[in-house]
């Protein structure tokens, strides 16, 4: 009985020490990119956070990777607001550098065969229906995707 109580107390101390250790590690991240990654959604906003990633902090310069050129531009336009947001969270950042960054999990390369298998113009997969606008037989995939056939869609998108 006494031995079991000692084991239970020792286990409790060990669990507490692991928790304390993890909290110390987490608090040491505050001035590091690890802490920034944890706070990133609140600091940058959901849209930027989904498409841009903090990569490095060195000499108070934050390097951010953007997954697409449009996000690089969005970061550039919002640079000053982002620096202010970082400072409000306790990060002493004086400048932001932006670079193109393609995380491995975002880069997916489909073969032409895979793309063609899902293509909305496949009549052998999706079937045929009449376009609600021009009444011409059209692939169901196109009508489902755009609400019209590809020819009517093209006319809609044409800029004169």
């Amino acid at each position: 009985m006494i031995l079991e109580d000692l084991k239970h107390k020792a286990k409790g101390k060990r669990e507490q020490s692991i928790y304390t250790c993890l909290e110390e590690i987490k608090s040491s991240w505050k001035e590091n990119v690890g802490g920034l990654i944890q706070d990133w959604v609140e600091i940058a906003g959901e849209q930027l956070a989904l498409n841009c990633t903090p990569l490095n902090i060195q000499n108070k310069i934050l390097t951010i990777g953007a997954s697409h050129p449009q996000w690089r531009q969005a970061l550039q336009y919002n640079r000053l607001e982002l620096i202010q947001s970082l400072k409000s969270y306790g990060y002493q950042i004086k400048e932001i550098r932006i670079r193109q960054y393609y995380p491995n999990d975002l880069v997916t390369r489909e073969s032409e065969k895979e793309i063609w298998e899902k293509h909305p113009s496949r009549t052998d997969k999706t079937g045929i229906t009449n376009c609600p606008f021009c009444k011409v037989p059209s692939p169901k995939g196109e009508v489902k995707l755009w609400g019209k056939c590809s020819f009517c869609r093209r006319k809609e998108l044409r800029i004169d």
Side-chain angles (χ1 to χ4, degrees), residues 5 28 33 44 46 55 60 64-65 85 95 97-98 108 135 146:
D5 286 340
S28 73
V33 77
E46 192 171 336
L55 300 175
K60 296 186 180 183
I64 301 174
S85 181
E95 189 57 54
R97 290 189 183 150
I98 304 162
T108 57
K135 309 296 184 221
W146 300 306

Side-chain angles (χ1 to χ4, degrees), residues 36 56-58 60-62 83 86-87 90-96:
L36 181 54
N56 187 17
I57 299 174
Q58 192 170 25
K60 296 186 180 183
I61 298 173
L62 171 63
I83 290 172
L86 286 160
K87 287 181 179 179
Y91 295 96
Q92 298 303 312
I93 302 297
K94 64 179 183 180
E95 189 57 54
I96 292 177

Side-chain angles (χ1 to χ4, degrees), residues 50-51 53 55 65-67 99-110:
L50 288 173
N51 296 285
T53 307
L55 300 175
S67 63
R99 64 176 249 205
Q100 200 68 34
Y101 176 69
Y102 299 103
N104 290 338
D105 58 343
L106 291 180
V107 178
T108 57
R109 298 179 190 232
E110 292 181 291

